[in-house]
Amino acid sequence: MSGRKNASKASPCLLILISVGCFFATYNFLTIVGHDRSRDGPRKMLAGGGDSADSFAAGSDPSKRFHVALTATDALYSQWQSRIMHYWYKEMRDRPGSDMGGFTRILHSGKPDGLMDEIPTLVVDPLPEGADRGYIVLNRPWAFVQWLKKSNIKEDYVLMAEPDHIFVRPLPNLAHGDEPAAFPFFYIKPTENEKMLRKFFPEEKGPVSKIDPIGNSPVIIKKAQLEKIAPTWMNVSLKMKEDVETDKAFGWVLEMYAYAVASALHGVHHNLRKDFMIQPPWDLKSDSTFIIHYTYGCDYTLKGELTYGKIGEWRFDKRSYLHSPPPRNLSVPPPGVPESVATLVKMVNEATASIPGWDEER
């Protein structure tokens, strides 16, 4: 799943070249950012005609506003999640307590799709063919590198988000100045992987405990900080993927580790906020969080008993809808199922009922 502190500027005929020979001498990667499919750099196509096509939150302190940046592909699976995510962004943006500003879907498929008129979108290029080695999330840091070079957002902060995020409450800016806010993931364990991480975070940079147990999303961070971190994040991701031992050890969370390492290389520490989001079915209540992340399947008996790992009599799993969006009016979970799961299904149903042309192919 996802360096020199400043990436080189993209050339007219773009090509990615990672120079690793100087890594252990400088503790960074040299990047010549390249490869584009046109002579004009990453294509910019935004619904509404501006980099911040959606308006700012009403009543919010302008200095605290953050831009919501969602990375996505043109696959139908990504599209329907993006539509639900954008719907709830619009619902929560202007409510009291929100510091949400504009919104951009960073589409790293290299060409426009059918959602251009519905969601403010910037089209950027994917990595060169074969560079992601089947790990599509590896395109995420490269997408941010391109977006940061091309965007002209009004906000000083950025929220890095994903399609399977649903805003359940208005989201304030959880960052504190130069200390970004991030969600701590229980499965990101830098201190338990010191041997592996020392390949990318040398001893001269300090103890591996300086690496936060996070991924890149959700994170609220100053745009100026992200501009420095993103090229390093991209390079560390590619280098980790090239290393067979690291690739095998980190698997689908490799890109998350890469962001955590890149941030630490730049001396950036995150404020860890467990209330940033929840992940049903493991988290049972949604009343004290801001985001529901529905990455896990929710399987239950009709008595409300969890059957994780086994298809339940009642279930909601986003992977059930790889090739078509979920239908409107999903069945509600049976009694006894946690409130977080019931709220998730209710919010999905509200979004699909409200989004025009939900069942139409995009």
Side-chain angles (χ1 to χ4, degrees):
M1 313 117 29
S2 66
R4 192 170 154 183
K5 290 189 177 179
N6 293 295
S8 304
K9 292 187 177 180
S11 60
C13 58
L14 288 166
L15 172 68
I16 291 186
L17 173 65
I18 307 301
S19 173
V20 296
C22 63
F23 174 70
F24 290 104
T26 64
Y27 320 125
N28 289 298
F29 297 98
L30 176 64
T31 304
I32 299 176
V33 176
H35 181 76
D36 192 4
R37 300 181 184 178
S38 75
R39 293 184 301 173
D40 300 321
R43 286 176 289 281
K44 180 169 64 176
M45 299 184 183
L46 284 147
D51 283 330
S52 296
D54 283 320
S55 64
F56 286 131
S60 174
D61 179 353
S63 68
K64 296 179 65 178
R65 290 172 185 154
F66 55 83
H67 195 93
V68 179
L70 169 70
T71 50
T73 75
D74 61 358
L76 191 149
Y77 179 64
S78 178
Q79 287 181 326
W80 69 255
Q81 294 174 55
S82 298
R83 298 180 80 189
I84 292 174
M85 193 274 193
H86 183 242
Y87 171 84
W88 283 108
Y89 154 78
K90 292 190 295 182
E91 287 294 306
M92 298 296 173
R93 177 188 57 196
D94 296 328
R95 296 186 185 183
S98 167
D99 286 321
M100 296 176 177
F103 186 105
T104 301
R105 181 181 61 135
I106 308 171
L107 183 63
H108 54 77
S109 300
K111 61 184 185 299
D113 67 359
L115 297 181
M116 304 300 293
D117 292 333
E118 180 177 330
I119 305 176
T121 298
L122 173 73
V123 179
V124 298
D125 284 319
L127 290 166
E129 186 176 355
D132 64 11
R133 305 189 183 191
Y135 180 52
I136 196 169
V137 182
L138 213 59
N139 286 279
R140 183 176 293 152
W142 173 223
F144 270 106
V145 169
Q146 295 174 83
W147 176 66
L148 289 163
K149 285 178 176 293
K150 287 295 186 179
S151 67
N152 185 29
I153 63 173
K154 300 175 182 179
E155 304 89 342
D156 292 330
Y157 291 86
V158 174
L159 165 67
M160 292 189 283
E162 297 180 19
D164 58 354
H165 287 175
I166 290 180
F167 295 106
V168 292
R169 291 165 58 201
L171 180 60
N173 188 339
L174 303 176
H176 298 294
D178 290 333
E179 185 180 48
F183 177 80
F185 289 90
F186 71 89
Y187 48 79
I188 303 297
K189 301 177 180 179
T191 56
E192 294 183 17
N193 290 280
E194 180 169 3
K195 180 181 177 182
M196 205 76 64
L197 292 174
R198 281 303 183 195
K199 298 178 182 181
F200 316 98
F201 191 77
E203 291 186 6
E204 290 83 353
K205 302 299 287 187
V208 294
S209 58
K210 286 188 174 183
I211 302 172
D212 294 326
I214 61 172
N216 81 289
S217 177
V219 166
I220 299 177
I221 186 171
K222 277 189 173 179
K223 180 175 179 258
Q225 291 176 305
L226 187 57
E227 287 173 335
K228 296 176 180 179
I229 292 171
T232 309
W233 172 26
M234 180 185 73
N235 293 327
V236 174
S237 295
L238 291 169
K239 182 58 180 173
M240 283 184 171
K241 191 64 179 175
E242 290 171 1
D243 186 271
V244 175
E245 185 183 20
T246 304
D247 186 24
K248 182 178 179 181
F250 290 163
W252 65 275
V253 298
L254 180 149
E255 170 265 345
M256 298 171 70
Y257 269 104
Y259 175 79
V261 169
S263 300
L265 287 170
H266 286 275
V268 174
H269 170 71
H270 296 71
N271 175 28
L272 304 181
R273 294 289 300 252
K274 290 185 177 181
D275 61 341
F276 211 149
M277 74 177 188
I278 61 168
Q279 302 184 99
W282 311 118
D283 298 306
L284 306 181
K285 294 181 178 295
S286 67
D287 56 350
S288 298
T289 194
F290 299 100
I291 294 171
I292 290 179
H293 182 211
Y294 55 100
T295 190
Y296 297 107
C298 300
D299 289 273
Y300 293 88
T301 68
L302 295 181
K303 295 180 179 180
E305 299 165 338
L306 181 65
T307 63
Y308 192 77
K310 177 182 177 181
I311 294 178
E313 296 173 283
W314 180 92
R315 76 182 322 233
F316 175 76
D317 188 338
K318 65 178 185 178
R319 295 163 193 82
S320 299
Y321 307 103
L322 292 173
H323 307 296
S324 62
R328 286 173 164 156
N329 196 29
L330 291 169
S331 64
V332 296
V337 168
E339 176 272 329
S340 61
V341 177
T343 296
L344 167 60
V345 174
K346 178 182 177 181
M347 297 186 80
V348 168
N349 280 342
E350 179 176 332
T352 60
S354 303
I355 297 173
W358 174 254
D359 297 320
E360 297 174 7
E361 186 173 347
R362 296 287 166 164

